[in-house]
Amino acid sequence: MSTSPTEPATFADKAIRYYNSLVSPTNLPVGVEVMNSFQAPDVQRIVGEFYTKFFNDTDPRVFLLGINPGRFGAGVTGISFTTPQNLRRYCGIDNTLRDTPELSSRFIYQVVDAFGGAEAFYERFFLTSLFPLALTKDGKNYNFYDDRATTNALWPAITEAVRTQLSFGANRHVAVCLGRKNETYLRRLNDQQGFFERIVTLDHPRYILQYKAKDVPLYLEKYIATLQDCLDEV
């Protein structure tokens, strides 16, 4: 949704413009590949509808930052931690994309549901990643930190990606890091750039469902309590 020349650009305006113009890096090590779903017309429609529905204002959000998208979540839909089926079920956005399995999305939308639903959640928070495009190697999900050459190749792009996403409308007082290993890199980035005053870290959704499934209720409580503490702080 566009604004008139006299109106400030909304969070949605900035996000839609950014994601639909993303270009894949060309400097990655041999064997590491990029999925850029944002070039697909179906995904561009989804991105436009999602951000217009939930972010059509200029209010700042608390950022929750993951690693980089998985090939079955944002790698398909363009929406962080969101599979096609969760896009329909929780966000009310119809799509004809094939349903995909992703543990991270399953847990995240338990959090969204526990927080009061997508509208209540996205009114206060923004889910994103340090690097906005899905990476794969040998047909499997790959993280930007899985080898040093990939990390070094992407570090300038990661820095610029976070900087640009903050311009959508970020609350700089606190950010939530998703993933203990991811914390190392977000803190390094923050030490270099001073993006946030404080960072709090939660266990990654995939780790929770893959290794701590019996403790999901406890992790949900931890997530909700942490998110509420962030809101109380800002």
Side-chain angles (χ1 to χ4, degrees):
M1 183 174 180
S2 61
T3 57
S4 73
T6 59
E7 296 177 331
T10 65
F11 194 115
D13 292 326
K14 297 173 185 177
I16 292 166
R17 187 180 308 119
Y18 172 70
Y19 289 119
N20 288 345
S21 65
L22 278 174
V23 177
S24 301
T26 58
N27 63 333
L28 291 174
V30 174
V32 180
E33 299 182 350
V34 181
M35 293 176 62
N36 189 349
S37 61
F38 296 101
Q39 299 304 307
D42 283 353
V43 172
Q44 291 188 353
R45 178 193 63 79
I46 288 168
V47 167
E49 188 172 341
F50 177 85
Y51 284 101
T52 300
K53 181 173 184 176
F54 295 114
F55 293 86
N56 197 30
D57 54 56
T58 58
D59 298 335
R61 267 77 172 178
V62 173
F63 275 42
L64 282 71
L65 297 118
I67 307 160
N68 47 261
R71 71 192 192 281
F72 292 142
V76 174
T77 64
I79 307 300
S80 291
F81 292 96
T82 306
T83 57
Q85 61 269 34
N86 285 343
L87 196 61
R88 292 189 292 267
R89 177 180 177 184
Y90 293 98
C91 302
I93 296 179
D94 289 334
N95 64 87
T96 58
L97 299 173
R98 179 177 60 86
D99 289 355
T100 54
E102 192 188 60
L103 294 178
S104 295
S105 183
R106 189 190 309 171
F107 180 80
I108 282 293
Y109 276 92
Q110 290 182 57
V111 174
V112 169
D113 200 37
F115 195 80
E119 186 172 345
F121 180 85
Y122 288 119
E123 184 179 21
R124 309 302 299 273
F125 300 102
F126 176 51
L127 284 166
T128 189
S129 301
L130 295 189
F131 184 67
L133 298 175
L135 301 174
T136 63
K137 187 173 184 180
D138 300 324
K140 298 179 181 179
N141 283 336
Y142 202 68
N143 298 319
F144 73 79
Y145 56 55
D146 283 344
D147 73 85
R148 184 175 297 178
T150 299
T151 305
N152 291 341
L154 288 178
W155 198 250
I158 288 169
T159 303
E160 190 57 33
V162 175
R163 187 191 313 280
T164 302
Q165 291 176 99
L166 292 178
S167 73
F168 300 169
N171 193 309
R172 302 290 193 98
H173 294 297
V174 62
V176 180
C177 178
L178 302 181
R180 300 292 173 183
K181 188 169 182 180
N182 193 36
E183 179 183 15
T184 299
Y185 297 88
L186 179 54
R187 289 195 182 279
R188 178 192 301 174
L189 182 66
N190 203 54
D191 288 343
Q192 293 172 354
Q193 303 296 329
F195 287 146
F196 305 103
E197 293 178 15
R198 193 167 76 89
I199 294 168
V200 296
T201 301
L202 291 166
D203 288 300
H204 196 277
R206 181 176 182 83
Y207 166 81
I208 293 168
L209 284 192
Q210 188 167 358
Y211 299 107
K212 302 289 183 178
K214 63 180 175 55
D215 295 324
V216 162
L218 296 177
Y219 281 100
L220 276 173
E221 288 182 12
K222 176 65 174 177
Y223 260 68
I224 296 300
T226 299
L227 296 183
Q228 191 56 59
D229 285 346
C230 289
L231 294 182
D232 291 344
E233 179 176 330
V234 302

